[in-house]
Amino acid sequence: PTYKNDKVFVPNQNGRVYALAITNGKVLWKRNMLTNLSSPAETIANAVILGSIKGDLMALDTNTGATLWHSYAPSSIFAKPTIYDSVIYTHTHDGSVAAFDAKDGSKKWSVSNNIPEIALPGNSSPIVLNNTVMIGSEFGTVLGFTVDEGDRTINIPIAIAKGSSPADKMVDISANPLLYGDYLIFASYQGAIVALDKDNGKMLWAKKSSVVNNIIINDNVIFTTQDDSLLKAFDIETGDTVWTNDTLKWRKVTAPIYYKGLIVVADFEGYLHFFNSLNGNYLGRYKLTPKSRIFNNGISAELIPTEKGIIVQSQNGRVYLVDAYSDKVIYDTILSDYKVDRGSEIDHISISEK
């Protein structure tokens, strides 16, 4: 799901997308897009942006659900589209990077990239910095392209493939890169988490890590869930380990979020788990989804923290709004201090005549 202006937008794999009121969950509108929706939604102006497994890139009106425009990316869209200066950037499953005008969906450029023999099912979202669109590739490298034409300008390896089998050599960067102050953070599977200088690309530090889910940053600490569901926090300035917690090892947890001084994750059985963000102490869990012998009621979608609560979507499609707090945790802000730079944005998108 994604959230904007008191509305929660929920696309699902069977092609339906819902707009819900965050106050009570009321369905404000719904659409059947007649294609399997595969990427997290993003918003700009009055549009919610959706991606499909067939490469459809679509903009719907946030108030009515009407289609504003419909375009096509080079391949399946699993990564959340990135929006900067009213341009939508996609990183698709075939490794391609493409740019689209958010106003009408017209394609500005597209660049293809090689991919390995096998790769993780997800991709990292692009990030835009210094007039360069950067992605983490399936080869464990950071690739950069000019925002205007898509010319390749950067190729920085951050993880080295090891072993003899294709699976052993997998070093995909499937976690979204984050820019925090002067630090540009990338994390790979079976490789490393690294900090690059945002201005010159110099590697400031690298620590062994294996990350599949997205990461989050708050107060100069990077929070991760490792591929074995170990929770691990790193100091952003040095890369030193701040804390680790293996309570949930092998429980297939989601990406971590920061909420009211807590680090929150969900797992394959539908539990929410809560940790103290300062020291990693495990504070408890809450069974959110009902038990069932028929349906899979686990949680694998990324949790969405908002000022009004945490938005949770279970694997059976049900959406929840949950509040959480602990008297053992002192916090200054409800949400993380990490902010996304989206450049300048248009105010309104009209229905395209294309």
Side-chain angles (χ1 to χ4, degrees):
T2 193
Y3 166 73
K4 183 177 182 179
N5 295 338
D6 289 337
K7 295 186 183 75
V8 182
F9 302 99
V10 186
N12 59 34
Q13 293 180 353
N14 64 16
R16 290 177 173 82
V17 56
Y18 297 83
L20 310 177
I22 197 169
T23 53
N24 56 17
K26 179 183 178 181
V27 177
L28 303 175
W29 55 259
K30 60 183 177 180
R31 284 283 308 275
N32 187 348
M33 306 310 297
L34 303 177
T35 185
N36 293 337
L37 300 176
S38 52
S39 76
E42 182 57 289
T43 59
I44 177 174
N46 59 305
V48 55
I49 309 299
L50 308 171
S52 85
I53 200 167
K54 294 184 178 179
D56 301 88
L57 185 67
M58 300 162 285
L60 305 185
D61 189 287
T62 55
N63 294 316
T64 66
T67 299
L68 300 174
W69 53 255
H70 189 153
S71 193
Y72 298 91
S75 180
S76 301
I77 307 174
F78 293 123
K80 185 176 184 178
T82 295
I83 299 176
Y84 188 86
D85 280 349
S86 299
V87 177
I88 301 171
Y89 298 96
T90 62
H91 177 200
T92 50
H93 194 50
D94 65 349
S96 299
V97 180
F100 302 83
D101 191 324
K103 184 177 181 180
D104 58 10
S106 59
K107 184 181 293 185
K108 300 170 71 69
W109 53 261
S110 178
V111 178
S112 60
N113 299 291
N114 294 328
I115 58 175
E117 183 178 348
I118 60 173
L120 295 173
N123 306 96
S124 61
S125 296
I127 190 169
V128 181
L129 176 66
N130 300 330
N131 293 314
T132 303
V133 185
M134 287 178 277
I135 62 164
S137 80
E138 290 81 352
F139 286 103
T141 58
V142 176
L143 304 179
F145 310 87
T146 60
V147 294
D148 294 328
E149 304 292 338
D151 297 325
R152 183 178 294 181
T153 57
I154 294 174
N155 189 338
I156 304 173
I158 70 164
I160 300 174
K162 299 178 180 179
S164 56
S165 71
D168 290 337
K169 294 179 180 179
M170 292 173 66
V171 286
D172 305 47
I173 301 174
S174 57
N176 293 340
L178 299 182
L179 175 64
Y180 188 91
D182 293 331
Y183 300 91
L184 183 58
I185 308 298
F186 285 86
S188 77
Y189 173 63
Q190 297 186 148
I193 182 169
V194 306
L196 306 178
D197 186 291
K198 72 177 182 67
D199 293 321
N200 57 30
K202 178 182 177 182
M203 188 175 293
L204 302 174
W205 54 259
K207 301 293 180 180
K208 185 177 180 181
S209 190
S210 185
V211 173
V212 175
N213 296 323
N214 285 333
I215 60 179
I216 187 63
I217 303 175
N218 182 70
D219 195 21
N220 293 305
V221 178
I222 308 166
F223 301 96
T224 73
T225 51
Q226 302 291 304
D227 66 338
D228 60 0
S229 294
L230 173 80
L231 272 72
K232 194 169 186 177
F234 299 86
D235 186 290
I236 198 169
E237 295 182 355
T238 63
D240 293 340
T241 299
V242 177
W243 56 258
T244 61
N245 192 306
D246 63 359
T247 301
L248 305 180
K249 204 166 184 180
W250 306 116
R251 289 190 63 86
K252 300 179 182 178
V253 300
T254 61
I257 63 164
Y258 175 92
Y259 183 77
K260 293 184 177 179
L262 305 169
I263 296 300
V264 187
V265 299
D267 71 14
F268 75 106
E269 289 187 323
Y271 284 92
L272 295 177
H273 300 271
F274 308 95
F275 299 81
N276 188 324
S277 64
L278 296 180
N279 54 28
N281 286 346
Y282 185 57
L283 301 174
R285 67 181 187 174
Y286 176 74
K287 183 70 167 79
L288 181 62
T289 61
K291 293 182 179 180
S292 173
R293 294 182 179 180
I294 302 174
F295 300 105
N296 185 350
N297 287 332
I299 301 169
S300 58
E302 187 166 344
L303 310 179
I304 307 298
T306 76
E307 294 279 354
K308 297 186 177 181
I310 304 170
I311 301 169
V312 184
Q313 182 180 14
S314 67
Q315 290 177 351
N316 68 357
R318 186 176 293 273
V319 181
Y320 304 82
L321 183 68
V322 179
D323 194 13
Y325 66 92
S326 171
D327 55 10
K328 297 179 181 179
V329 174
I330 298 174
Y331 62 92
D332 295 324
T333 60
I334 296 176
L335 304 179
S336 161
D337 61 9
Y338 173 75
K339 305 298 180 184
V340 178
D341 180 11
R342 292 172 45 126
S344 60
E345 294 189 0
I346 54 178
D347 296 326
H348 185 79
I349 299 175
S350 301
I351 296 177
S352 173
E353 299 180 357
K354 288 174 46 181

